[in-house]
Amino acid sequence: MNTVKINGDFMTPLKFYLITDTHYFNAELGAEGKAYEEYMKTEAFYLKESSEINKAVFKKLKEDTETDLIIIPGDLSKDGEYKSHKALIEELDALKDEGKKIFVITAGHDYNEHGRSYKNDELVKVRGTTLAELYDLYFEFGYKDALSVDKETLSYIAEIAENTRLLALNCDSKRETKGTIDERLLNWAKEQIDKAKEDNAYIIAMCHYPIIPSVPVFDLVGDAHVKNWREIATFLADNGVELVLTGHMHIQSINEFVTEKGNRLVDICTSTTVGTPGKYRKIEIDENGKMDVKSIPVCDFTFPDKFKSEEEFLDWRFDYSVKNKINKILEGGSGITKTLKNFGGKILNSIKLKTIAKLLFIRIDSSLKDVKLIDFAGEIGTAIFKGDQPFTQGTPEYEAVLKALNRFGFILKKVEPKLSKNGVKVDLKAMILNTIGNNKGYSDNDTTINLKG
Ligand SMILES: [Fe+2]
Ligand SMILES: [Fe+2]
C-alpha cells in the first residue's frame, strides 16, 4: 500500500467507520413494566430498542465491503450489564467474520458491578461487569493486536493500517477519576508516541471523553471534556497527534485547537447510535492528508407508526425526557419551596416568549412571539447536539437571545471572573452565541479538513 509523508510522519491512506456510544442493551434481560416506564420518562436514549437500532447500523457496515476498519470510542453497553456485552460481542464477532477489523475502547458505562433490568413492574439487579473482565471480553477488538497495553486503564496502542497506529487513551476507567488522563498515563502515551516516531508510524488518537469542548459552553461543564483539556490537547498536538476520535457527549461536533507552538489538534466527537442525533461517521484520509468526514443517520430499524421517520422517533425521546426531567426538578418540596417550585413549573411550561420580551423590554421577531419558553429551549438544546447549530447572526432566535443577554449584561460581567480558570477569561455572551450558532466556518457533520493544517 502507498505510504506518504505528512508533517514528517508517514501514513497510509485510511478509510474507516466511526461509531460510538452504542449503549447496547440486551432486551432479553427485561425492559417492560411500570418501573421501566417510570425510568424511561427521564432517559434521553432508547433502551429496549437499543439492540435493534445498533444491529441496523452493523448491517450497513457489513454491506460496505470496501471499508474494513471500525473504530468505537466507548460506552459500548447500556450500563455494564454482562449479557449486554455478550450480545454486543456476538454482533462484533459477526462483523469480524466478514473481515472487519474493530478497535474499541471501554468507558464508564461499560463497567458496573450492578447492572439493571426491568421485569414485572420492578427494577431487577442483573450481573454487571468489572473493568478487569472488559479486557478479556474485548480482547479481540484492540488488545489482541496491541503493541502495548496500559493494564491499569485499559489504554492501548495498535497498528490499524500499515504505518498507522491508534493510540486508545482510556480516561474513563475509574468512577473517582472519570475524564482524567493523569501524568502516569501521559508518560505511557509519550513512550508510545516516541516509539511510533522511531518506526515512522502516523498516530491517530481515540479517547471516550472529548478532548476539546464540543461547544463553547461545555468548557464550563466539568464532565463534558477531559480534565485539564488544554494541557492534554497541547500534549497531543505538540507531539504530532493531529486527530482524536471521541464520544461521551452524544453530540455531533468537530473542533480544532491550536497550541502556542502552532500545532493543531482536530477532535471529532460523534453522537450515540441510540438517540438523537443518531449519527455515525465514515472518514476517509487520502494520500495528501485530506480528510473527508461524512455523517450517516442510523436508519432502517422498526419504530412506532405514530412517528414519520427514524429521526423524529429519536428526537422525540430526547425532547420528552428533558421536559420530564425539568418538571421533576420543579416537583416536590414543602412550604414556601413547594409554592415557588409550583409557580416556577407553571411559568416554564406556559410562558410565551412575547411575555418574556415584554418583561425584558426587548423586541423579538413575530415568528417567535407565540412560542413557549420550554419549546424554544428544547429546540435550541436539540440543535446543539445535532451540530451545525443554525441560530447564527441574523436569525430571529439569535437576535432574541442576544437582546436577552444584553439585558443581563451586568450579571454576566459579575459571574465571568468567577468562571475564569488558569488565566483563561470567560466571555459568556460570546460562548452562548457561538454555542447556538455554528460560526466555525465548517460543518460538524460533513466536512473536509486537511490534516497537514
Ligand atoms: Fe454515552
Ligand atoms: Fe460516557
Side-chain angles (χ1 to χ4, degrees), residues 64-119:
D64 182 348
T65 52
E66 287 175 5
T67 309
D68 296 337
L69 189 57
I70 300 167
I71 294 176
I72 315 179
D75 275 358
L76 309 167
S77 74
K78 168 68 182 81
D79 273 320
E81 315 78 28
Y82 188 74
K83 282 192 172 173
S84 293
H85 281 302
K86 288 298 253 185
L88 171 62
I89 288 163
E90 245 176 65
E91 296 295 324
L92 300 182
D93 276 337
L95 283 165
K96 200 171 84 155
D97 291 345
E98 295 284 326
K100 308 291 184 193
K101 288 189 287 178
I102 305 163
F103 293 87
V104 309
I105 197 163
T106 62
H109 280 266
D110 297 322
Y111 57 90
N112 188 354
E113 309 263 333
H114 310 290
R116 283 166 298 175
S117 75
Y118 303 86
K119 268 185 187 162

Side-chain angles (χ1 to χ4, degrees), residues 40 42-46 274-276 314 317-318 321-322 325:
M40 289 308 287
T42 52
E43 175 54 77
F45 307 97
Y46 284 103
V274 294
T276 190
L314 298 174
R317 169 132 299 286
F318 185 81
S321 64
V322 170
K325 251 182 213 163

Side-chain angles (χ1 to χ4, degrees), residues 21 23 73-75 107-109 172 208-210 223 247-250:
D21 292 73
H23 287 287
D75 275 358
H109 280 266
D172 199 10
H208 179 59
Y209 274 58
D223 195 50
H248 179 61
M249 288 308 290
H250 299 191

Side-chain angles (χ1 to χ4, degrees), residues 15-20 57 60-73 100-101 103 245 280-284 294 296:
K15 192 161 37 165
F16 62 94
Y17 280 105
L18 170 61
I19 69 171
T20 189
V57 174
K60 297 278 175 198
L61 303 193
K62 212 177 276 181
E63 282 165 8
D64 182 348
T65 52
E66 287 175 5
T67 309
D68 296 337
L69 189 57
I70 300 167
I71 294 176
I72 315 179
K100 308 291 184 193
K101 288 189 287 178
F103 293 87
L245 311 168
Y280 59 103
R281 316 236 201 204
K282 185 173 181 177
I283 298 178
E284 290 185 55
K294 266 195 195 69
I296 305 158

Side-chain angles (χ1 to χ4, degrees), residues 231-281:
E231 192 188 304
I232 305 297
T234 302
F235 165 83
L236 290 171
D238 285 351
N239 278 292
V241 178
E242 297 177 292
L243 175 64
V244 62
L245 311 168
T246 64
H248 179 61
M249 288 308 290
H250 299 191
I251 189 171
Q252 287 289 102
S253 76
I254 300 178
N255 288 288
E256 298 177 325
F257 174 77
V258 179
T259 70
E260 280 173 15
K261 289 184 182 165
N263 299 311
R264 186 186 58 165
L265 179 73
V266 175
D267 183 336
I268 301 183
C269 185
T270 299
S271 96
T272 175
T273 48
V274 294
T276 190
K279 296 271 179 72
Y280 59 103
R281 316 236 201 204

